[in-house]
Amino acid sequence: MSDQKIIALKAAAVLWVIWGLVHTFAGVMVVSSDASGGFQAIADAVAPETLAADYPAAVGGILNQHGWNLAWFGIATIIGAVFIWQRNLTAIWVTGMVGGLADAGYLLFVDLPGYVNFFPGTLMTFISGAAIILSFWVWRTERNRVEAASQA
């Protein structure tokens, strides 16, 4: 593997660690807040008073499940980042699927409608996108290199 590809994987790993830490922290914040506080933490571009309410316990439970998912997505991508740093090509797929699919839902249902500010929300989508692009570039070029070598 070339030095350029190793640097790309290390950069992707660092990006995934950043993404993972932010999402783990967000998950802990949501789970440790009441429903109003959890919604306000997530939808930070929405006026807080419009989200303040006495929500039914079931709404709080669903929000806590979302917080749990944020935390495990974050932890899983941090673990994946360690393997990506070590040049594990399978970790590229697993980490990209966990972080990428989590961010796809966020982008569609929270970011595009305008419920969040650029920082940290939208920026995290750019960070995960950059990590995916960098690591999948390495995966694809390495796969092509291995296939070409096996045909020779």
Side-chain angles (χ1 to χ4, degrees), residues 5-103:
K5 291 177 188 174
I6 292 168
I7 291 168
L9 285 182
K10 288 185 177 193
V14 168
L15 292 171
W16 279 127
V17 167
I18 292 167
W19 190 94
L21 289 171
V22 168
H23 283 77
T24 302
F25 177 71
V28 170
M29 281 186 53
V30 168
V31 170
S32 65
S33 299
D34 65 352
S36 289
F39 285 123
Q40 290 168 3
I42 295 167
D44 59 356
V46 175
E49 61 274 4
T50 64
L51 298 172
D54 188 21
Y55 293 100
V59 173
I62 293 167
L63 186 61
N64 284 341
Q65 188 235 357
H66 174 67
W68 172 265
N69 286 338
L70 287 172
W72 84 255
F73 294 159
I75 292 167
T77 58
I78 292 167
I79 293 167
V82 171
F83 287 101
I84 291 171
W85 185 277
Q86 297 171 344
R87 303 180 209 160
N88 182 309
L89 299 181
T90 303
I92 292 169
W93 278 97
V94 176
T95 308
M97 286 174 53
V98 171
L101 290 174
D103 255 1

Side-chain angles (χ1 to χ4, degrees), residues 1 12 21 46 64 67 81 96 99 101 113-114 117 120 125 135 145-146 149:
M1 189 175 293
L21 289 171
V46 175
N64 284 341
L101 290 174
N117 292 317
T125 301
S135 58
R145 186 184 64 76
V146 169

